Each structure stands twice: as structure tokens, then as C-alpha cells.
């Protein structure tokens, strides 16, 4: 009986595992399988650089020696950051990241503002200006800032002191008309 060797490998090696290579008889139905590792997805089977199947489970009839490569791609996520209000400050740390990567986003308050929290879809996810998490999905994070309230004390007096009385003194928040 004529036999053939079916070689299988994974690219990159950390992308996943392959099974069912080896020596087979001519005319046999052969199925090779690829299983993705965490953070990767199966792309295709190639032979000599040419794609031969996009199915993780590839079946063919043995008619020659074959060297098959299961190709895997890294899963990536998009992390976007924004500021509310826009004038309240700036953010950094977003972008395209690999699945499972540790991501740190940072918020820096502008003059006259203070950092409040990070929200996603309106829900608070962190109260720290530097927020670290593991990438497991696309995320849209908003850094919320509050205007700093400055209190001013206004003192009134009349000159000469015997000339009459004054009113309107007290403590007022910035932006208050006195």
C-alpha cells in the first residue's frame, strides 16, 4: 500500500494547536484540526504559502505528501477614550490592543477642573485617574471632570466709617454675581 506523510504545524506556535497529522494510506480521507489558543482566532490552512481551507477542520483525500500550516491571528480590541466636558482635561492610553493585554488609561485635568471618574455606557468603572484593566472587548471610556468651585470672600466697608452702612459682603462661589 502507498502511504503519505501529512505534516501539520501552527503559526504562530502560541496561536493554537493542531492534530491528526502523520502517516496515512493513499486514498484515505484525512481530517486535520486546528484549535485556537486564548486570545487568538483561526484564520486558515495553508500549504506552501497558498490557502487551502478556511475551516478549522479540513478534510481531504490523501494523494501526496503534504505539509499544512494552521494560521492563527491575534484577537485585538479597540479602546477609545474621551473627556467630558471636552475642556475638562485630556486622556491617554487608548488604541488597538491585543486580547488579554493589560491596558492603562489616564486622565489629566485641565486648569480649573478636577477628575471625577471613568464611565462606560454611563456606568462608573473607576474613580482613579489611572485605570488599569485586562482587554477582553472593545471599550469606549469617558473621563469625567468637574469644574473646581472657588469661594471668594467679599468684604465691604464705607469710608469714612461714620458715613453710612454697606451691604453685600459674604462668601460666594466663583461665577456668582454679587
Amino acid at each position: 500500500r502507498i502511504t503519505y506523510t501529512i505534516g501539520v504545524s501552527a503559526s504562530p506556535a502560541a496561536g493554537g494547536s493542531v492534530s491528526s497529522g502523520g502517516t496515512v494510506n493513499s486514498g484515505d480521507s484525512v481530517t486535520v484540526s486546528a484549535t485556537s489558543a486564548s486570545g487568538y482566532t483561526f484564520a486558515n490552512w495553508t500549504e506552501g504559502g497558498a490557502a487551502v481551507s478556511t475551516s478549522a477542520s479540513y478534510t481531504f483525500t490523501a494523494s501526496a505528501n503534504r505539509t499544512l500550516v494552521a494560521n492563527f491571528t491575534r484577537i485585538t480590541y479597540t479602546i477609545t477614550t474621551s473627556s467630558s466636558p471636552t475642556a475638562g482635561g485630556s486622556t491617554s492610553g487608548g488604541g488597538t490592543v491585543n486580547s488579554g493585554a493589560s491596558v492603562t488609561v489616564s486622565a489629566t485635568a485641565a486648569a480649573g477642573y478636577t477628575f471625577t471618574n471613568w464611565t462606560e455606557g454611563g456606568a462608573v468603572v473607576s474613580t482613579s485617574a489611572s485605570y488599569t484593566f485586562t482587554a477582553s472587548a472593545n471599550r469606549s471610556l469617558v473621563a469625567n471632570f468637574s469644574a473646581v468651585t472657588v469661594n471668594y470672600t467679599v468684604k465691604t466697608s464705607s469710608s469714612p466709617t461714620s458715613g453710612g452702612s454697606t451691604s453685600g459682603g459674604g462668601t460666594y462661589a466663583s461665577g456668582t454675581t454679587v
Side-chain angles (χ1 to χ4, degrees):
R1 187 100 197 225
I2 299 172
T3 60
Y4 297 110
T5 301
I6 309 300
V8 292
S9 63
S11 178
S17 60
V18 293
S19 63
S20 298
T23 302
V24 297
N25 292 322
S26 177
D28 282 357
S29 178
V30 178
T31 300
V32 292
S33 299
T35 304
S36 302
S38 178
Y40 288 85
T41 187
F42 174 79
N44 61 13
W45 285 99
T46 56
E47 184 171 26
V52 294
S53 177
T54 56
S55 175
S57 182
Y58 171 43
T59 302
F60 58 92
T61 301
S63 60
N65 292 326
R66 298 190 70 179
T67 303
L68 301 168
V69 178
N71 297 286
F72 299 94
T73 55
R74 188 80 162 148
I75 296 171
T76 59
Y77 296 111
T78 302
I79 310 300
T80 58
T81 61
S82 61
S83 299
S84 178
T86 305
S90 60
T91 62
S92 63
T96 302
V97 298
N98 289 333
S99 173
S102 178
V103 179
T104 300
V105 292
S106 298
T108 305
Y113 289 86
T114 185
F115 173 79
T116 305
N117 58 29
W118 285 100
T119 57
E120 184 172 25
V124 175
V125 294
S126 178
T127 56
S128 174
S130 181
Y131 171 43
T132 301
F133 57 92
T134 300
S136 60
N138 293 328
R139 299 196 64 184
S140 182
L141 301 167
V142 178
N144 297 287
F145 299 93
S146 300
V148 174
T149 301
V150 178
N151 291 323
Y152 296 96
T153 301
V154 178
K155 293 184 180 188
T156 58
S157 64
S158 62
S159 182
T161 55
S162 62
S165 65
T166 61
S167 64
T171 302
Y172 301 91
S174 61
T176 303
T177 305
V178 180

